[in-house]
Amino acid sequence: QQPVQSPQAVILREGEDAVINCSSSKALYSVHWYRQKHGEAPVFLMILLKGGEQKGHEKISASFNEKKQQSSLYLTASQLSYSGTYFCGTERANFGNEKLTFGTGTRLTIIP
Amino acid sequence: DARVTQTPRHKVTEMGQEVTMRCQPILGHNTVFWYRQTMMQGLELLAYFRNRAPLDDSGMPKDRFSAEMPDATLATLKIQPSEPRDSAVYFCASARGGVGSPLHFGNGTRLTVT
């Protein structure tokens, strides 16, 4: 089942902050975050695992509320390079099944 | 930097023709995914493999799509016969495997079926 992302799109001025949310109706083992620039492949940003472990870039912060099956990606002091579409991907960890299902994306535009 | 390699980058074909897309995963990655991206549906998982064995292909139209891994360095996705609704960008991604492993995406194959 596809996770739901919000907002669908956001426009920020350089230096402003943004929060992108991702929620699932199913129990999750992990949430992934990826960024895709126009005409390019998605690029890994961060993974948040059940139990609190996180893997990813130092400059990216995110949270995972296991009780609510929700994750949020925090973009602070945004730069022009942050523009792109952000996808969350969710894993429901049945044994041996790490199928990653992506949300519909949040388009972020940073203007000078 | 190690990367996932996909060929071709672009493919234009006529309806009814066979299309084959190829993917070379990152060396040492044992899990390979095929995704299709369209404006309407976003990133849809078509199939994925672990250690060359198909684990899930429930997202793939079985009558016309097939995915294989002839060896650890090559994954293929075939469409026969192709239809205009198959027009999309097809991404291959690989991962070291196990829950919580980051996916590394190739640059995609942009398929246009006329």
Side-chain angles (χ1 to χ4, degrees):
Chain A
Q1 191 141 3
Q2 191 173 38
V4 177
Q5 286 187 236
S6 63
Q8 288 186 325
V10 60
I11 300 174
L12 295 177
R13 291 197 178 278
E14 224 176 338
E16 292 182 336
D17 302 339
V19 179
I20 300 173
N21 301 302
C22 174
S23 64
S24 173
S25 59
K26 305 292 183 183
L28 302 176
Y29 182 85
S30 74
V31 179
H32 297 221
W33 287 97
Y34 293 79
R35 178 173 59 212
Q36 184 178 30
K37 293 188 179 285
H38 183 68
E40 299 181 7
V43 174
F44 167 74
L45 295 176
M46 172 165 280
I47 288 176
L48 302 104
L49 301 171
K50 185 177 178 180
E53 183 181 355
Q54 296 186 4
K55 309 177 194 176
H57 297 281
E58 294 177 359
K59 294 187 178 181
I60 301 287
S61 65
S63 64
F64 179 22
N65 185 324
E66 295 175 32
K67 288 184 180 178
K68 293 184 177 181
Q69 307 306 323
Q70 292 176 347
S71 178
S72 295
L73 183 70
Y74 305 99
L75 301 168
T76 57
S78 57
Q79 305 171 15
L80 293 175
S81 61
Y82 288 8
S83 292
T85 301
Y86 289 76
F87 292 96
C88 70
T90 55
E91 284 180 294
R92 294 171 56 197
N94 302 319
F95 179 73
N97 178 2
E98 66 271 62
K99 181 163 71 172
L100 192 63
T101 303
F102 284 96
T104 51
T106 296
R107 179 172 292 182
L108 176 65
T109 304
I110 310 294
I111 55 177
Chain B
D1 267 351
R3 59 175 66 181
V4 175
T5 303
Q6 285 187 250
T7 56
R9 290 294 310 275
H10 302 274
K11 176 73 176 179
V12 180
T13 191
E14 291 183 349
M15 183 173 63
Q17 297 298 305
E18 177 177 303
V19 175
T20 299
M21 291 169 267
R22 293 177 174 80
C23 168
Q24 181 177 1
I26 292 172
L27 190 64
H29 284 192
N30 68 352
T31 309
V32 175
F33 302 82
W34 282 105
Y35 284 92
R36 174 171 64 184
Q37 187 173 38
T38 60
M39 288 294 294
M40 295 300 295
Q41 301 296 329
L43 277 162
E44 298 175 272
L45 179 65
L46 297 176
Y48 79 103
F49 296 78
R50 160 117 38 97
N51 296 324
R52 296 175 55 201
L55 288 190
D56 190 326
D57 61 1
S58 59
M60 210 163 61
K62 301 290 191 304
D63 56 338
R64 298 185 300 109
F65 284 59
S66 62
E68 295 179 344
M69 278 201 75
D71 60 60
T73 64
L74 177 64
T76 62
L77 180 66
K78 290 186 182 180
I79 308 174
Q80 169 63 22
S82 57
E83 298 181 1
R85 58 179 168 155
D86 301 330
S87 297
V89 180
Y90 291 80
F91 285 105
C92 172
S94 70
R96 286 194 182 278
V99 181
S101 298
L103 269 62
H104 298 258
F105 284 82
N107 285 327
T109 294
R110 181 174 294 276
L111 174 66
T112 303
V113 184
T114 60

